[in-house]
Amino acid sequence: MQLTLREIRSILGVAAPAHSAGMASGYSIDSRTIRAGELFFALRGERFDGNDYVAAALAAGAAGAVVSSDRVAGFPATLQDRLIGTPDTLMALQKLAGAVRARWGGPLVAITGSMGKTTTKHMMTELLGTRFRVVQSEGNWNNQYGLPLSLLQLQPETEIGVFELGMSAAGEIRHLAGIAKPDVGVVTNVGPAHLEFFSDVDGIALAKRELIESLGRDGWAVLNGDDARVAAFGSLCPGRALSYGIDTDAQIRATKLSAAPAGGYSFAVSTASLESDVFGGARKETVKRIPPDEQAAETRFTLPMVGRHNVRNLLAGLGVAHLFGIRLATLVETVAGLHPAPMRGELVGLANGAVIVNDCYNSSPAALEAMLEAVAEIPARRRVAVLGGMMELGRRSGELHFDCGKRLPDLRFSLLLTVGDAARPLAEGARSAGMAGNACEHFDTPAKAGGRLREILADGDVVLLKASRAVRLEGVWDELSEDGPAGAGRSRR
């Protein structure tokens, strides 16, 4: 949202110079990528001080800069009218974002969970976008820096906001929800991610539950009914709750699932048990109802994305679409056109007939098991897993990697290529469950694993690439290049 520097000073409680002028057309915390007209926030971190880059940001065309109060006097007098001094620049960023959210005033959807947040957000934005003007958070901007920057992208004409909330400690989601003030809270699941920072999964669940506890009396919780911990959040919601799922009797439920050969699904969704109260219009001024005779008893969807977990992600989006008065039967074509974000379950066909399932953006035990099960449903001559380590698992890291590795033989994977020391217990688990020792190979780098993959891939093979972001498993692609026989003519499905 565009604001004058004078307005921003007023929001932050900073006195304006006599000749204060200028307009912020955007907001940034990175002086390297700042664009003309944006306001630069000079954040301080353990290894950097954004105040050191204020002059560079202003020289690049920044409209102004929010700087630490103790550094203002050190800048030339010619820059003073473009500086906004504050004791805590991160707190200023969050305060400004909260003010913009309040000024905008529309309905906001917040999504959290141990996995699936970004994919669910993208799906939900596409579904809601069939009727409304929607702003979503960029990428996985879901922390104390990314969420405020995302909220600042709200515009007066925006009708719905869809944002992720992430966390690595108790209290973080409550803090972020206090800035975003969501009307709808979506929880995708709870699993053993971030165990480095929590004693157990129940502790993670309590942290995720903070989103639901932060909703108002008019709020809606949209909850994964197939996850017992998440389903239990409904009783603590100050407002109302809507459940979705596959395996339980949820209000938004997928039935009659059938897997497509390329990895997608066809299924039916019933709306018979849904309440018809919904948010009305762009600003939820009134509550409208979808007349019962206008609700299809059952709608058939085809989702061209790998894995039952993505069916659940879609169900969350369908539930939110219903809350905003969109009839599910009008979304069939939109669902059929959905596709995964880069490195989040992409299917890539190679010229030699092999298929790569590229899900290497991030990983956790629950996410890895979900993708192993998804790839197991794809017809294949051989299934190959190229796996890197899963980070932030604390003292249980080895155990959790070992347990995931044990699933590989049961799911009919023929080969396992592990990358990096953290991934070694995956092979130990696979061998303990019956995978032959020579079917497990270890590599120090993604490039070396990619070279081996290049040598062995053949027609009919299906390969899963998955690891935590720190592993940079996409380096495998450097070896499956357009120049080589394995990579020539790659086509995305």
Side-chain angles (χ1 to χ4, degrees), residues 17-379:
H19 301 290
S20 177
M23 171 79 72
S25 59
Y27 308 87
S28 175
I29 61 174
D30 191 338
S31 63
R32 298 167 299 180
T33 59
I34 198 160
R35 293 174 291 189
E38 292 184 333
L39 179 67
F40 175 64
F41 284 82
L43 303 185
R44 279 175 163 160
E46 293 181 2
R47 302 177 183 174
F48 67 90
D49 186 344
N51 291 282
D52 296 335
Y53 305 98
V54 168
L58 295 176
V66 177
V67 303
S68 299
S69 300
D70 60 357
R71 296 289 297 272
V72 173
F75 290 98
T78 54
L79 299 180
Q80 293 294 322
D81 63 341
R82 297 167 66 189
L83 302 180
I84 302 174
T86 179
D88 188 324
T89 53
L90 175 57
M91 186 177 296
L93 172 64
Q94 295 174 350
K95 184 175 182 179
L96 183 64
V100 164
R101 191 271 179 266
R103 178 177 294 193
W104 169 66
L108 187 144
V109 182
I111 305 168
T112 194
S114 295
M115 69 175 194
K117 295 185 293 295
T118 301
T119 298
T120 301
K121 177 192 65 181
H122 288 319
M123 288 179 170
M124 197 175 294
T125 298
E126 291 293 320
L127 300 177
L128 294 172
T130 61
R131 179 177 297 182
F132 300 102
R133 292 184 291 271
V134 183
V135 165
Q136 63 173 324
S137 50
E138 292 189 18
N140 64 338
W141 284 15
N142 58 28
N143 62 11
Q144 59 181 335
Y145 312 107
L147 175 67
L149 288 170
S150 295
L151 290 170
L152 289 170
Q153 296 179 6
L154 291 167
Q155 303 297 333
E157 64 271 19
T158 302
E159 293 177 299
I160 301 174
V162 181
F163 300 93
E164 292 181 47
L165 304 187
M167 62 89 191
S168 58
E172 289 186 5
I173 287 181
R174 193 181 307 281
H175 176 65
L176 295 176
I179 300 170
K181 296 290 193 296
D183 300 283
V184 180
V186 180
V187 184
T188 60
N189 46 61
V190 171
H194 308 300
L195 274 176
E196 181 179 352
F197 311 108
F198 293 89
S199 60
D200 54 29
V201 177
D202 287 335
I204 295 172
L206 289 174
K208 298 295 185 185
R209 198 178 76 187
E210 292 172 8
L211 171 59
I212 304 308
E213 295 169 342
S214 299
L215 297 172
R217 292 175 62 84
D218 294 328
W220 278 89
V222 178
L223 304 173
N224 180 357
D226 290 344
D227 186 312
R229 291 184 178 91
V230 174
F233 296 172
S235 63
L236 298 171
C237 177
R240 287 177 286 181
L242 184 153
S243 62
Y244 65 90
I246 300 172
D247 303 322
T248 53
D249 189 19
Q251 292 164 288
I252 295 274
R253 186 179 184 186
T255 60
K256 306 174 185 176
L257 270 73
S258 58
Y265 284 92
S266 176
F267 54 93
V269 176
S270 171
T271 59
S273 64
L274 282 176
E275 296 184 49
S276 56
D277 289 348
V278 297
F279 289 109
R283 304 291 180 184
K284 63 179 191 309
E285 299 94 351
T286 59
V287 173
K288 299 195 301 184
R289 290 180 177 273
I290 300 176
D293 60 350
E294 293 185 16
Q295 296 189 61
E298 185 177 277
T299 304
R300 192 84 191 178
F301 292 97
T302 298
L303 177 66
M305 293 174 66
V306 174
R308 287 164 62 94
H309 60 286
N310 275 322
V311 175
R312 289 190 182 89
N313 293 337
L314 175 67
L315 294 175
L318 292 174
V320 172
H322 170 79
L323 293 181
F324 284 95
I326 300 177
R327 298 180 187 88
L328 302 194
T330 67
L331 298 172
V332 172
E333 290 187 12
T334 302
V335 171
L338 292 174
H339 55 83
M343 298 190 294
R344 297 179 187 271
E346 292 178 289
L347 267 69
V348 184
L350 302 184
N352 67 350
V355 173
I356 307 292
V357 181
N358 184 358
D359 198 59
C360 63
Y361 185 83
N362 214 340
S363 191
S364 68
L368 174 55
E369 289 204 37
M371 285 307 300
L372 291 173
E373 291 171 358
V375 172
E377 293 184 341
I378 302 175

Side-chain angles (χ1 to χ4, degrees), residues 360-441:
C360 63
Y361 185 83
N362 214 340
S363 191
S364 68
L368 174 55
E369 289 204 37
M371 285 307 300
L372 291 173
E373 291 171 358
V375 172
E377 293 184 341
I378 302 175
R381 181 182 75 95
R382 290 187 307 178
R383 295 182 181 86
V384 182
V386 183
L387 307 178
M390 299 175 284
M391 306 305 168
E392 298 185 352
L393 296 180
R395 57 185 175 81
R396 293 190 60 198
S397 178
E399 170 195 347
L400 292 168
H401 281 83
F402 185 90
D403 289 345
C404 287
K406 289 169 64 176
R407 297 296 314 280
L408 288 159
D410 289 342
L411 295 172
R412 303 184 306 283
F413 277 80
S414 303
L415 298 171
L416 169 63
L417 278 58
T418 54
V419 180
D421 285 342
R424 289 184 184 275
L426 288 164
E428 295 171 9
R431 286 192 289 265
S432 77
M435 181 173 277
N438 61 3
C440 302
E441 300 184 43

